[in-house]
């Protein structure tokens, strides 16, 4: 099996390292990263060469996805399987379906892990598959399982609804804690340690990544505002109880 990867950033490198166990991998990037690729045992080739592969994974940023789709749409051959790894599936699946020719197959994917959260092993990590238009969904599912991954098949809409809570809301809370400059303390509980683990994982997020998961997910704003509203109500209730206790203590 030969797989082409467009985008050789942090996640592209992370993904290529694991795919090498099962396939021959060629990669490309807007920057010349030939030396880095060769050190990993990969072929660094032109964009045109990658588009000749029958399986192509788009590992580009969400901001550059549309531009890249337009670049490759007239270069890929019929029956090519195109996959993306964007963390928002309504956005990416809609773009791929609209821009790519009808004679290619499309599956949206979202690996729910990365180099920060799974630096040593991807065994039992989760990946989502969204079938846009492909006959090879089961083949891709089986391949992912052969890598030790747990596969979840869902629609782009259901994916983004769940991501609005598990990703957007979690990172929102983590960013608030980060801006408060909360640090580890000696007298910590396990719950606090878990919170600090989250903050340390998301501190490497780029501002663009955080903004994208908040503004490009159609369900994120509702969950964010619901959290803020419930936080205010809880704080008001606690202030009310605190005021009553002050009266009783007098």
């Amino acid at each position: 099996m030969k797989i082409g990867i467009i985008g050789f950033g942090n996640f592209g490198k992370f993904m290529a390292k694991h795919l090498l166990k099962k396939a021959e991998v060629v990669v490309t990037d807007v920057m010349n990263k030939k030396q880095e690729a060769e050190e990993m045992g990969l072929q660094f080739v032109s964009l045109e060469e990658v588009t000749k592969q029958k399986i192509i994974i788009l590992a580009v940023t969400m901001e550059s996805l549309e531009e890249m789709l337009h670049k490759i749409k007239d270069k890929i051959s019929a029956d090519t399987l195109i996959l993306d790894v964007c963390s928002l599936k309504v956005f990416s699946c809609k773009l791929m379906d609209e821009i790519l020719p009808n004679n290619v197959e499309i599956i949206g994917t979202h690996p729910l892990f990365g180099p920060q959260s799974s630096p040593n092993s991807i065994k039992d990590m989760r990946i989502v598959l969204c079938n846009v238009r492909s006959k090879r969904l089961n083949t891709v599912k089986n391949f992912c399982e052969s890598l030790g991954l747990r596969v979840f098949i869902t629609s782009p809409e259901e994916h983004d609804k769940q991501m609005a809570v598990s990703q957007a809301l979690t990172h929102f809370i983590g960013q608030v804690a980060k801006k408060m400059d909360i640090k580890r303390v000696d007298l910590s509980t396990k719950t606090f340690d878990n919170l600090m683990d989250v903050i340390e994982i998301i501190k490497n997020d780029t501002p663009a990544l955080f903004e994208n998961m908040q503004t490009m997910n159609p369900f994120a704003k509702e969950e964010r505002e619901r959290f803020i509203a419930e936080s205010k109500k809880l704080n008001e209730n606690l202030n009310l109880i605190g005021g009553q206790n002050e009266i009783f203590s007098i």
Side-chain angles (χ1 to χ4, degrees):
M1 185 186 300
K2 197 168 184 179
I3 298 173
I5 298 177
I6 299 176
F8 199 52
N10 288 337
F11 192 81
K13 294 172 189 175
F14 175 74
M15 178 171 53
K17 178 180 72 173
H18 292 285
L19 290 176
L20 268 177
K21 300 171 185 176
K22 298 285 184 177
E24 181 181 351
V25 181
V26 297
V27 300
T28 193
D29 195 89
V30 291
M31 298 175 64
N32 187 343
K33 298 183 179 179
K34 182 177 180 180
Q35 183 176 344
E36 293 176 68
E38 290 179 348
E39 288 173 355
M40 292 178 60
L42 303 164
Q43 299 179 54
F44 188 86
V45 297
S46 66
L47 178 63
E48 287 68 25
E49 183 63 28
V50 168
T51 57
K52 294 177 184 177
Q53 311 310 314
K54 299 303 291 184
I55 302 174
I56 300 172
I57 302 175
L58 300 169
V60 299
T61 64
M62 287 190 284
E63 300 96 321
S64 59
L65 178 62
E66 183 173 3
E67 180 183 1
M68 183 55 66
L69 290 171
H70 282 292
K71 281 185 179 179
I72 69 172
K73 66 178 181 179
D74 297 323
K75 296 182 173 69
I76 50 181
S77 59
D79 299 321
T80 298
L81 174 60
I82 305 290
L83 308 100
D84 80 302
V85 293
C86 289
S87 60
L88 297 177
K89 302 288 21 119
V90 171
F91 166 79
S92 66
C93 291
K94 184 172 184 291
L95 277 181
M96 290 189 292
D97 192 30
E98 289 177 350
I99 296 173
L100 295 176
N102 292 329
N103 60 4
V104 304
E105 298 184 45
I106 301 169
I107 297 176
T109 85
H110 181 198
L112 301 174
F113 56 91
Q116 282 81 41
S117 58
S118 308
N120 301 316
S121 172
I122 62 172
K123 182 174 172 53
D124 293 328
M125 294 294 104
R126 302 179 183 190
I127 186 169
V128 176
L129 304 181
C130 300
N131 192 6
V132 180
R133 43 179 158 104
S134 176
K135 304 182 294 291
R136 287 180 273 181
L137 182 67
N138 284 334
T139 302
V140 173
K141 177 179 181 290
N142 292 337
F143 178 80
C144 291
E145 290 175 340
S146 76
L147 292 170
L149 298 174
R150 297 173 60 193
V151 179
F152 294 81
I153 298 174
T154 187
S155 68
E157 291 77 14
E158 180 58 30
H159 168 275
D160 283 9
K161 284 180 182 178
Q162 294 196 32
M163 283 298 103
V165 178
S166 68
Q167 184 191 58
L169 184 57
T170 301
H171 282 246
F172 179 76
I173 296 169
Q175 286 291 341
V176 171
K178 178 182 173 182
K179 289 182 181 298
M180 291 174 63
D181 198 25
I182 297 176
K183 293 181 171 62
R184 292 188 184 272
V185 295
D186 294 332
L187 305 182
S188 65
T189 63
K190 178 60 177 173
T191 304
F192 179 76
D193 288 338
N194 290 340
L195 174 62
M196 293 307 300
D197 290 341
V198 171
I199 294 171
E200 288 175 3
I201 289 173
I202 69 169
K203 70 181 180 182
N204 296 315
D205 287 352
T206 64
L209 177 62
F210 175 69
E211 290 170 8
N212 286 343
M213 71 174 68
Q214 299 297 331
T215 62
M216 298 173 74
N217 184 330
F219 308 102
K221 181 180 178 182
E222 178 183 353
E223 293 298 331
R224 205 169 58 242
E225 292 184 343
R226 190 161 67 94
F227 171 77
I228 293 170
E230 290 299 326
S231 298
K232 288 180 177 178
K233 284 165 57 177
L234 180 59
N235 187 54
E236 290 168 359
N237 288 338
L238 291 172
N239 286 340
L240 180 60
I241 294 170
Q244 291 173 344
N245 288 341
E246 287 179 6
I247 294 173
F248 293 142
S249 65
I250 296 172

